[in-house]
Amino acid sequence: MNKIIKTKLSSSDIMSLTLLFALSFFLFADQNLMAPNLTQIANEFGFNQLDRDLKLGGEISLVFWLVGGIITIFFGYFTDSFSRKKLLIGSVLIGEIPCFLTGFVETYAQLFWLRALTGIGIGAIIPITYSLIGDYFPSTKRSSATAYLGLVVGMGIAAGQLLAGITGPIYGWKISFIIVAIPNFIILFLYFLFGTEPLRGRSDSGNVKSKKISILSLKEIFKKRTNVLIFLQGIAGTVPWAVFFVYLNDYLSQDIGYSVQIATIVVSVIGLSAIAGAFIGGLVGNKLYNIKPLYQPIFSAVCTFIGVIPTAFLINLTPAENTEALNTFYPLILGAFSGFFITITAPNMKAILMNVNHSKSRGSAFALYNLADDLGRGFGPFVISIFILSFGRQLGFNIANLIWLICGLFILLISRTYEKDEIGV
């Protein structure tokens, strides 16, 4: 006998979600704080241009996301078994304390290991957050809920990068790490006092019993082709994203000729349009899902293909020796279209993942999703640094951009498996 699904949020639910979204905003604001000031950081540690791209762009990103990806498996296990509120508090502390301490580093080794520890916090919070959202909202509202979370996370990433780009040239690159870390200690204390978590499986039909990660549960997750395709597109898609998040700011200022501040504004516009794309894409995807589920991945794939075009034009801007000769408006338009179309995929993939997995294994599924995502984010910048070493920055970025076509093909294939895998959930 199916149970009654609770869909209305209580006042305590709204309070908890508000604090959860605020914690996500500031935790993810840390993600791209280095990007606007890579050359400044390289100069402080005595790196040349090649070391800048390999160490700061490649090695730091690799350890940040690789450690976070490994840790997410353990938190996925605990998410399906223990109090998610306690796990959330622990993961935020693990992420924010080293973020704060990064503002006081004096050596590259200190920076390297503190970034690795910060990656643990971001890797841990993802399966916890989406497990909670899956229980707060039924399948008919999850794309919209994911869109709102993506909006908040995207705003955090963009705000952090904009902050670093504005304050870095004036006060030094370290100050932004301190600024973004402090608010979360206050918000986390409020979550400790007032935060609650929903009953596990309350928004799913049928009886739901929590299940720990095991060989059998992993086999069930990978048995669904939709899950596998989502994992694969996540790995493929994060490689070209590394161009935006790690290299583009420095590329526009050092290779094309814009000032650091102008380059930061261009990248911030990409971030803001990405926020809009993820938000609108989630809402549109939710409506398409309610018409016919397979329309959701088709919509996402088409938008991914479209996003490759303005990205290619942005990467291939003509360098200029005189900053005044550069057209600032042109890259802003290209960045806006690129960021908007590429990010439409994100909330829809997460909603699909929630819809094809039971609440009992949703934390595990998102742990694996985050592992695939983190492996891509970690190896993506590292792979691009190899492209740069072999072909130079511009050609290397163009190769990375074409990988989005592979990502789009994986998403397109989801339309053939989605409805079948959702049956019985």
Side-chain angles (χ1 to χ4, degrees):
M1 182 177 179
N2 290 342
K3 65 181 181 180
I4 297 174
I5 300 175
K6 181 179 178 180
T7 59
K8 187 176 180 180
L9 297 175
S10 65
S11 58
S12 62
D13 290 337
I14 294 173
M15 169 66 76
S16 298
L17 280 167
T18 301
L19 293 171
L20 177 63
F21 279 32
L23 288 169
S24 298
F25 176 91
F26 286 103
L27 186 61
F28 279 87
D30 159 273
Q31 185 172 310
N32 293 329
L33 293 180
M34 289 177 56
N37 302 297
L38 281 184
T39 298
Q40 183 187 149
I41 301 171
N43 291 338
E44 179 170 329
F45 293 134
F47 294 158
N48 57 32
Q49 291 184 356
L50 184 59
D51 287 335
R52 173 197 63 194
D53 289 338
L54 290 177
K55 290 182 178 294
L56 300 179
E59 290 181 2
I60 293 290
S61 295
L62 180 63
V63 71
F64 183 90
W65 294 114
L66 187 60
V67 171
I70 293 172
I71 290 299
T72 197
I73 291 294
F74 294 97
F75 272 84
Y77 173 92
F78 294 129
T79 295
D80 290 334
S81 308
F82 300 105
S83 168
R84 289 168 289 183
K85 178 180 176 178
K86 293 179 181 178
L87 291 173
L88 184 68
I89 293 172
S91 66
V92 173
L93 285 175
I94 292 171
E96 292 297 8
I97 291 174
C99 174
F100 178 80
L101 294 177
T102 301
F104 304 94
V105 299
E106 296 181 354
T107 66
Y108 173 71
Q110 292 174 347
L111 175 65
F112 182 89
W113 290 113
L114 285 174
R115 295 308 289 159
L117 291 173
T118 303
I120 294 175
I122 290 181
I125 197 175
I126 291 175
I128 302 170
T129 301
Y130 285 100
S131 175
L132 289 169
I133 288 178
D135 287 334
Y136 278 123
F137 301 98
S139 63
T140 54
K141 296 182 179 180
R142 285 173 187 154
S143 292
S144 297
T146 304
Y148 279 102
L149 178 62
L151 175 67
V152 171
V153 168
M155 288 176 62
I157 294 172
Q161 190 156 346
L162 181 61
L163 173 70
I166 293 174
T167 60
I170 302 172
Y171 302 105
W173 64 273
K174 299 175 186 177
I175 188 67
S176 58
F177 288 89
I178 299 172
I179 294 173
V180 302
I182 291 175
N184 251 2
F185 294 115
I186 301 171
I187 298 169
L188 192 63
F189 181 68
L190 294 176
Y191 185 78
F192 171 76
L193 294 177
F194 305 111
T196 60
E197 66 175 281
L199 181 66
R200 203 180 297 270
R202 81 176 196 187
S203 296
D204 293 301
S205 60
N207 294 320
V208 178
K209 185 178 180 181
S210 181
K211 182 188 290 186
K212 300 177 183 179
I213 290 182
S214 64
I215 298 299
L216 181 59
S217 65
L218 291 177
K219 185 177 179 180
E220 290 177 356
I221 290 172
F222 281 103
K223 188 177 179 180
K224 295 188 175 184
R225 293 181 181 180
T226 300
N227 285 333
V228 176
L229 290 169
I230 290 175
F231 299 155
L232 290 175
Q233 69 82 31
I235 295 175
T238 50
V239 175
W241 265 121
V243 175
F244 285 149
F245 288 143
V246 179
Y247 294 107
L248 186 61
N249 206 308
D250 197 75
Y251 172 72
L252 291 175
S253 62
Q254 302 300 316
D255 295 71
I256 303 301
Y258 292 101
S259 67
V260 172
Q261 287 88 344
I262 294 297
T264 301
I265 291 173
V266 173
V267 175
S268 296
V269 166
I270 295 173
L272 291 172
S273 63
I275 294 168
F279 181 66
I280 295 173
L283 298 181
V284 173
N286 197 83
K287 288 186 177 296
L288 291 174
Y289 169 84
N290 289 327
I291 296 172
K292 191 173 181 63
L294 66 85
Y295 291 163
Q296 192 175 23
I298 292 175
F299 167 65
S300 301
V302 170
C303 290
T304 299
F305 292 139
I306 293 173
V308 172
I309 300 171
T311 304
F313 281 102
L314 182 63
I315 290 170
N316 292 286
L317 290 171
T318 302
E321 295 182 3
N322 187 355
T323 304
E324 295 179 357
L326 291 168
N327 186 334
T328 304
F329 184 71
Y330 183 54
L332 289 174
I333 295 298
L334 292 175
F337 278 104
S338 179
F340 181 85
F341 282 104
I342 291 297
T343 51
I344 282 174
T345 296
N348 289 295
M349 292 302 100
K350 291 167 183 173
I352 291 171
L353 192 64
M354 280 190 277
N355 291 341
V356 300
N357 290 282
H358 288 283
S359 177
K360 64 183 179 182
S361 59
R362 199 168 283 143
S364 303
F366 269 94
L368 291 170
Y369 172 83
N370 193 51
L371 174 62
D373 204 37
D374 282 1
L375 288 174
R377 292 184 183 186
F379 283 104
F382 186 75
V383 170
I384 291 176
S385 70
I386 301 301
F387 289 164
I388 293 171
L389 181 63
S390 304
F391 309 109
R393 272 187 162 186
Q394 191 171 72
L395 181 55
F397 295 164
N398 276 295
I399 295 172
N401 184 40
L402 292 177
I403 296 176
W404 257 320
L405 297 177
I406 300 173
C407 179
L409 290 174
F410 284 134
I411 298 170
L412 201 58
L413 289 173
I414 292 174
S415 64
R416 300 171 61 90
T417 65
Y418 187 15
E419 290 181 300
K420 178 182 176 182
D421 287 341
E422 191 181 20
I423 295 174
V425 175

